[in-house]
């Protein structure tokens, strides 16, 4: 592979956020095509069409910023996101009907979840959405997005009538790109759940360019819904433009392959990178997914560092090491399709939850194979839970089907996970983790040479001489705990200091790093390799 279209990598992020928000697979791709067609329809120039294109493709990039909190409050963060995307507080009759169904995913707890949402939403929604916006602002530049796209990403939950969040923007105080994104997203959501694939909840056969055309028989219903939202959720002039010639926009979806159409539709000259340069983009995907659990922060980068060092010790050439490093950063993107309630659970999982966990490597494989610029990573990345004796998942392959890169990744993932805290156990000492890895190699589940290389690699990280942004050692300790969602009281107890001292530390930390939310602090910590400790 000589070069990669950046848009192909961004498409993988779009697919990942589809999983994280409970949306139909490829919903983000379809939204991008509709938004770009609408931008063409109203005569935007190339630069502005590019802003719309990227904002619509990555409209949900900050979606995991509150995953753990949403799971705590509403039992399942993915189901909550699915419901929240369609709520319309601007129409009291419709909103009342939506609230009657809210929480239906939690048997026996629906009334409690609904009451909690009604109580918490007025004050909690702006705080929660501000967290989403901060993650979008942090990741946008890393992804190379135009400034206008980043602004639109911070407006995804605003509304024309001012009833949105976090800033209650209204009318034309919302950017044009943001208003186009709102309309395009509602167009796709109004097609119905079966229009563009089967979504994360049904992990059956999902093929490229899924049945978007089948949803087009509901165009009249879609237009009715858009007209109903005009002047409330949506810019009425944009709805009128759509309504005047809907076929000009619908035609963007009349394609055999949505992803190929998105790549072909990108306005302006495409950005191209070499495979060895993927790390910057892959790290952004890794951060989005690691936000899915309080105890997952920094795990993907940790595994990638171990893999790279172990590959060097194993004599792997620079090109193969770069491919392994990218695969390691993306090995867990399928976690996005599993509720944070599972990843954060302190107790044992039931059989049904284990089946959901086992699907995460399937979703990693599915996303990477869907994107031409990442297909070469799929076998290695999705094979991190495979074992030499065939006891692993999701394919259950045996030793002869596992490359050196796949064996190194499997060993690094196990070692990294053992040396990181989890909700059900503390982090293991390096020596204990090394002993466990050696025992797995002796039992024939992991490769002996790969385990030896990973154990040796674990001692290769040089000591840090200074922290980013002038942070002190104590401030880094506080930042790590705050990033995992611990309260000031919990941090104080853990560090044996007063709550007031923790508050002072946090104020200094936020001033130094320029972030104001837990999710923003977590992204900063992962960007600067401060997590796991």
């Amino acid at each position: 592979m000589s070069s990669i279209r950046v848009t192909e990598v961004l498409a993988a992020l779009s697919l990942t956020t589809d999983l994280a928000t409970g949306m139909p697979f490829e919903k983000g791709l379809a939204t991008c095509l509709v938004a770009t067609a609408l931008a063409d329809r109203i005569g935007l120039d190339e630069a502005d069409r590019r802003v719309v294109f990227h904002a619509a493709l990555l409209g949900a990039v900050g979606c995991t910023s509150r995953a753990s909190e949403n799971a705590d409050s509403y039992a399942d963060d993915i189901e909550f996101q699915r419901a929240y995307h369609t709520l319309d507080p601007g129409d009291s009759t419709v909103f009342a009907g939506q609230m009657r169904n809210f929480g239906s995913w939690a048997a026996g707890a629906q009334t409690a979840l609904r009451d909690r949402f009604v109580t918490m939403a007025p004050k909690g929604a702006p705080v929660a959405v501000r967290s989403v916006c901060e993650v979008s602002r942090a990741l946008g530049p890393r992804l190379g997005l135009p400034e206008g796209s980043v602004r639109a990403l911070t407006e995804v939950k605003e509304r024309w009538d001012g009833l949105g969040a976090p800033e209650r923007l209204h009318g034309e105080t919302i950017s044009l790109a943001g208003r186009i994104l709102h309309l395009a997203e509602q167009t796709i959501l109004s097609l119905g759940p079966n229009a563009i694939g089967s979504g994360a909840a049904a992990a059956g056969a999902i093929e490229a360019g899924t049945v978007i055309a089948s949803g087009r028989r509901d165009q009249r219903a879609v237009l009715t819904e858009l007209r109903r939202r005009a002047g409330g959720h949506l810019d009425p002039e944009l709805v009128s433009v759509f309504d005047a010639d809907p076929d000009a926009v619908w035609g963007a979806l009349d394609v055999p392959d949505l992803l190929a159409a998105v790549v072909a539709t990108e306005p302006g000259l495409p950005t191209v990178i070499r495979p060895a340069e993927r790390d910057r983009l892959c790290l952004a995907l890794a951060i989005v997914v690691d936000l899915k659990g309080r105890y997952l922060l920094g795990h993907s980068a940790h595994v990638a560092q171990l893999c790279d060092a172990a590959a060097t010790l194993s004599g792997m050439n620079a090109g193969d090491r770069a491919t392994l490093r990218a695969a390691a950063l993306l090995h867990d993107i399928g976690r996005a399709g599993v509720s944070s309630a599972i990843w954060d659970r302190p107790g044992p999982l039931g059989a049904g939850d284990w089946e959901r966990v086992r699907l995460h490597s399937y979703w990693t494989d599915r996303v990477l194979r869907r994107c031409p610029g990442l297909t070469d990573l799929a076998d290695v990345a999705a094979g991190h839970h495979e074992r030499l004796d065939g006891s692993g998942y999701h394919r259950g392959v045996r030793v002869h089907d596992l490359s050196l890169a796949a064996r190194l990744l499997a060993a690094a993932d196990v070692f990294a996970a053992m040396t990181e805290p989890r909700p059900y156990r503390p982090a293991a000492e390096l020596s204990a983790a090394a002993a466990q890895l050696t025992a797995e190699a002796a039992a024939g589940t992991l490769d002996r040479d790969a385990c030896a290389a990973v154990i040796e690699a674990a001692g290769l990280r040089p000591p840090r001489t200074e922290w980013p942004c002038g942070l002190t050692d104590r401030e880094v300790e506080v930042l790590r705990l705050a990033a995992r969602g611990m309260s000031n009281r919990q941090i104080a107890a853990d560090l044996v200091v007063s709550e007031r001292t923790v508050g002072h530390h946090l104020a200094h930390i936020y001033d130094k790093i320029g972030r104001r939310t837990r999710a923003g602090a977590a992204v900063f910590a992962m960007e600067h390799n401060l997590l796991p400790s």
Side-chain angles (χ1 to χ4, degrees), residues 278-327:
R278 284 183 288 197
D279 282 14
R280 172 176 56 84
L281 300 176
C282 291
L283 179 58
L285 271 76
I287 288 172
V288 169
V289 171
D290 285 0
L291 285 168
K292 279 288 292 186
R294 295 187 177 98
Y295 293 84
L296 301 176
L297 301 180
H299 172 72
S300 297
H302 187 192
V303 173
Q305 291 160 358
L306 283 174
C307 280
D308 192 50
T312 300
L313 291 169
S314 300
M316 189 177 288
N317 65 53
D320 289 342
R321 286 205 319 274
T323 299
L324 172 56
R325 193 166 56 246

Side-chain angles (χ1 to χ4, degrees), residues 306 309-311 313-314 408 448-458:
L306 283 174
L313 291 169
S314 300
L408 285 170
R448 188 182 303 272
D449 291 338
C451 289
V454 167
I455 291 170
E456 185 175 353

Side-chain angles (χ1 to χ4, degrees), residues 358 361 365 369 378-407 410 444-447:
R358 288 165 66 91
S361 59
D365 186 72
R369 291 193 190 282
D379 278 336
V380 174
H384 62 285
H385 284 292
E386 302 293 355
R387 297 294 180 258
L388 300 184
D389 60 358
S391 63
Y393 61 86
H394 65 285
R395 295 187 298 263
V397 299
R398 291 181 175 272
V399 57
H400 58 275
D401 292 315
L402 296 174
S403 65
L404 171 60
R407 299 178 194 201
T445 57
L446 295 173
D447 182 81

Side-chain angles (χ1 to χ4, degrees), residues 44-315:
L44 296 188
D45 62 23
E46 182 181 287
D48 287 339
R49 292 200 312 275
R50 193 169 179 83
V51 165
V52 170
F53 174 88
H54 283 106
L57 180 62
L58 298 177
V61 69
C63 65
T64 55
S65 63
R66 297 274 300 179
S68 290
E69 290 86 347
N70 288 337
D72 285 346
S73 296
Y74 303 110
D76 187 319
D77 59 297
I78 295 176
E79 293 293 344
F80 169 77
Q81 290 256 25
R82 195 200 311 270
Y84 189 72
H85 265 70
T86 58
L87 293 180
D88 185 5
D91 186 320
S92 59
T93 300
V94 170
F95 187 66
Q98 292 172 328
M99 290 311 300
R100 280 194 293 273
N101 292 323
F102 186 90
S104 59
W105 57 85
Q110 181 176 359
T111 300
L113 296 187
R114 182 170 57 238
D115 292 347
R116 182 174 299 142
F117 179 78
V118 170
T119 301
M120 294 174 59
K123 291 185 178 180
V127 174
V129 178
R130 193 166 285 114
S131 180
V132 174
C133 294
E134 187 155 83
V135 170
S136 298
R137 279 194 298 270
L139 294 181
R142 175 175 290 277
L143 296 167
L145 303 188
E147 176 57 34
S149 299
V150 177
R151 176 184 170 185
L153 293 177
T154 68
E155 299 170 336
V156 291
K157 297 304 180 187
E158 301 290 357
R159 291 170 52 99
W160 178 264
D161 58 11
L163 295 179
E167 306 300 337
R168 297 185 71 87
L169 301 178
H170 61 88
E172 293 184 359
T173 61
I174 305 170
S175 69
L176 178 57
R179 285 176 273 144
I180 292 173
L181 170 55
H182 297 165
L183 176 56
E185 181 173 64
Q186 284 305 314
T187 298
I188 299 305
L189 292 176
S190 298
L191 284 171
N194 298 317
I196 48 173
S198 56
I206 302 176
E207 300 303 328
T210 45
V211 290
I212 185 69
S214 71
R216 297 187 65 210
R217 63 178 178 267
D218 297 325
Q219 287 179 16
R220 185 173 299 176
V222 172
L223 288 172
T224 298
E225 176 65 7
L226 296 182
R227 291 168 189 151
R228 187 188 68 76
R229 288 180 179 256
H233 183 187
L234 305 176
D235 180 342
E237 290 191 17
L238 287 178
V239 175
S240 295
V241 170
F242 190 124
D243 206 356
D245 188 6
D247 287 339
V249 180
W250 290 125
L253 302 178
D254 193 14
V255 293
D257 186 327
L258 291 178
L259 194 146
V262 165
V263 172
T265 301
E266 180 183 6
L269 293 175
T271 304
V272 178
I273 58 174
R274 293 175 296 177
E277 299 169 335
R278 284 183 288 197
D279 282 14
R280 172 176 56 84
L281 300 176
C282 291
L283 179 58
L285 271 76
I287 288 172
V288 169
V289 171
D290 285 0
L291 285 168
K292 279 288 292 186
R294 295 187 177 98
Y295 293 84
L296 301 176
L297 301 180
H299 172 72
S300 297
H302 187 192
V303 173
Q305 291 160 358
L306 283 174
C307 280
D308 192 50
T312 300
L313 291 169
S314 300

Side-chain angles (χ1 to χ4, degrees), residues 371-383:
C371 302
L374 300 174
T375 302
D376 63 313
L377 308 179
D379 278 336
V380 174

